[in-house]
Amino acid sequence: MNQALHHFGVFALFLGIAGCSSTASDSSDQTFQSSVERGVHDTLLDDMGDLVQAATDLQADAPLPTGRGWDTTLDADAITKMKADWVRARAAYERMEGAVAPIFPDLDYSLDARYDDFLSRLGGFGDPDPFDDQGVTGMHAIERILYSDSIPARVVDFEDKLPGYAVAAMPATEQEAAEFASSLCGRLVTDATELQTEWAPSHIDLGSAFKGLISLMNEQHEKVSKAATGEEESRYSQHTMTDIRDNLTGTKAVYELFQPWIVSKTGGSDADTQIEAGFDSLAQTYAMFPGDTIPEPPATWSSFNPTTDDLATPFGQLFSAVETAVDPQAPSSVVSEMNRAAVLLGFPEFQDTP
């Protein structure tokens, strides 16, 4: 055979094999992608249904007294029911937050932004009507009212220095009670329902969703750190420890949908093993601190330079364990390994920005 023809034949065969391999790989990725999109849609749709139902129940359970505002004795049963409804709403959202927030940032803000976030956006003018559907809204706005008679002193110490701050209070008049139910709670129902309605496979950006999962793992460290300053997330109800557990539960559930795709990639099995080990380590850490409330931070606590004695406290132990597990700069942390998995799938990495 002519030598030139021989080389051409080998080259053509190589191109054919490479082309088939590329086509097979692309086809496999498309199959995995479609499967993950359906799984993410169906899994989170259940949480969205729970959120809508809890928000609807909270609005229905709001007391509407005649000629007065709320009374913590006369309306005790209703307030207790609303707090239980709020806890259910909170759990549902925290489970899906990582995947949903990057895709629907405006709804995430309206539903889940903290009081200080809203005040910053309001430019120091504050919210003149805490019971309407404008200004400060969402789950934490409702939480601030429901738990206004038991807010920890360190939370007040942090908030009362914010421009636009107003003292938290329950509705003091019949009109305020009615407005709380129809407007503030009504906005929560509307936003939750819109999220549920807009949630369709065609709207799911898997890259953003996976990056959101990584971000939420990193945020667990932030939630612990801010507990020492009064800035923690569910600060009025002291429910943040449960928030963190729900974040981990939700992240694990959505991650499992990506798992077969990750494992199919070269090096994916090792990354997956490390990620699962990271999840397990965090779960064991959180199990050491039962209940809704993060351990009380020591008075001398500093997240930037904690002392040996402060690190030995229950809060210090929690802080250290979470910091080690989610540090993006640590090669073996769950955040680093999830970033490695993101690269394997062709997704953007999470970058921790101050």
Side-chain angles (χ1 to χ4, degrees):
M1 179 185 293
N2 182 285
Q3 192 72 11
L5 289 176
H6 173 75
H7 285 309
F8 176 80
V10 172
F11 182 63
L13 179 61
F14 172 77
L15 287 178
I17 293 172
C20 290
S21 175
S22 175
T23 301
S25 177
D26 290 346
S27 176
S28 177
D29 280 344
Q30 290 172 3
T31 299
F32 277 121
Q33 180 173 330
S34 296
S35 175
V36 175
E37 284 175 352
R38 289 193 300 272
V40 170
H41 173 266
D42 294 347
T43 298
L44 271 62
L45 192 62
D46 289 341
D47 289 329
M48 290 175 186
D50 291 343
L51 174 62
V52 171
Q53 186 60 61
T56 301
D57 292 344
L58 198 158
Q59 183 181 35
D61 288 334
L64 299 170
T66 301
R68 62 173 176 83
W70 292 0
D71 183 290
T72 54
T73 300
L74 298 175
D75 300 313
D77 289 345
I79 293 171
T80 297
K81 286 181 182 178
M82 283 191 294
K83 287 180 177 179
D85 298 333
W86 182 87
V87 167
R88 287 165 44 221
R90 192 81 196 127
Y93 194 75
E94 289 297 285
R95 289 195 302 268
M96 62 176 157
E97 178 185 8
V100 167
I103 302 172
F104 300 102
D106 291 342
L107 282 173
D108 174 62
Y109 191 91
S110 178
L111 284 163
D112 192 41
R114 305 176 192 186
Y115 185 59
D116 40 313
D117 295 326
F118 280 113
L119 291 187
S120 178
R121 179 175 286 192
L122 292 168
F125 292 100
D127 183 5
D129 186 349
F131 308 110
D132 67 5
D133 58 357
Q134 302 300 310
V136 182
T137 65
M139 286 178 281
H140 295 307
I142 292 172
E143 176 197 10
R144 194 167 187 266
I145 292 167
L146 291 179
Y147 294 88
S148 58
D149 60 344
S150 58
I151 297 177
R154 70 178 183 277
V155 173
V156 176
D157 288 343
F158 163 69
E159 289 192 348
D160 67 8
K161 298 174 181 63
L162 300 172
Y165 166 81
V167 176
M170 294 182 180
T173 66
E174 177 182 344
Q175 291 74 23
E176 288 181 347
E179 191 176 35
F180 171 85
S182 64
S183 295
L184 186 58
C185 292
R187 175 69 180 272
L188 181 65
V189 174
T190 298
D191 287 344
T193 302
E194 181 180 351
L195 181 63
Q196 184 184 47
T197 301
E198 291 294 319
W199 186 244
S202 61
H203 291 171
I204 298 175
D205 180 342
L206 291 183
S208 294
F210 194 81
K211 186 177 179 181
L213 296 181
I214 306 173
S215 175
L216 193 60
M217 294 302 297
N218 184 72
E219 187 183 325
Q220 291 174 47
H221 178 246
E222 177 190 273
K223 287 181 177 180
V224 174
S225 297
K226 288 190 172 183
T229 63
E231 298 175 79
E232 66 180 287
E233 184 138 25
S234 296
R235 62 187 69 157
Y236 315 110
S237 60
Q238 289 296 285
H239 194 264
T240 304
M241 194 70 230
T242 298
D243 282 354
I244 293 173
R245 291 195 199 94
D246 287 333
N247 284 161
L248 180 59
T249 298
T251 298
K252 288 174 63 177
V254 177
Y255 172 78
E256 287 173 2
L257 301 172
F258 287 91
Q259 206 166 18
W261 192 4
I262 293 168
V263 172
S264 76
K265 300 292 185 179
T266 302
S269 181
D270 179 59
D272 174 66
T273 298
Q274 297 300 320
I275 291 166
E276 286 287 1
F279 287 159
D280 290 343
S281 176
L282 277 174
Q284 292 170 14
T285 295
Y286 296 159
M288 295 167 57
F289 306 97
D292 296 333
T293 306
I294 282 180
E296 183 79 18
T300 54
W301 177 261
S302 166
S303 294
F304 300 103
N305 188 29
T307 66
T308 301
D309 287 344
D310 284 351
L311 285 172
T313 66
F315 180 83
Q317 293 173 31
L318 175 63
F319 176 88
S320 296
V322 175
E323 182 178 46
T324 300
V326 305
D327 181 3
Q329 306 307 317
S332 60
S333 76
V334 66
V335 169
S336 293
E337 293 296 341
M338 290 182 77
N339 265 338
R340 177 153 69 114
V343 171
L344 294 177
L345 298 181
F347 294 157
E349 292 184 74
F350 165 78
Q351 299 292 333
D352 185 23
T353 55

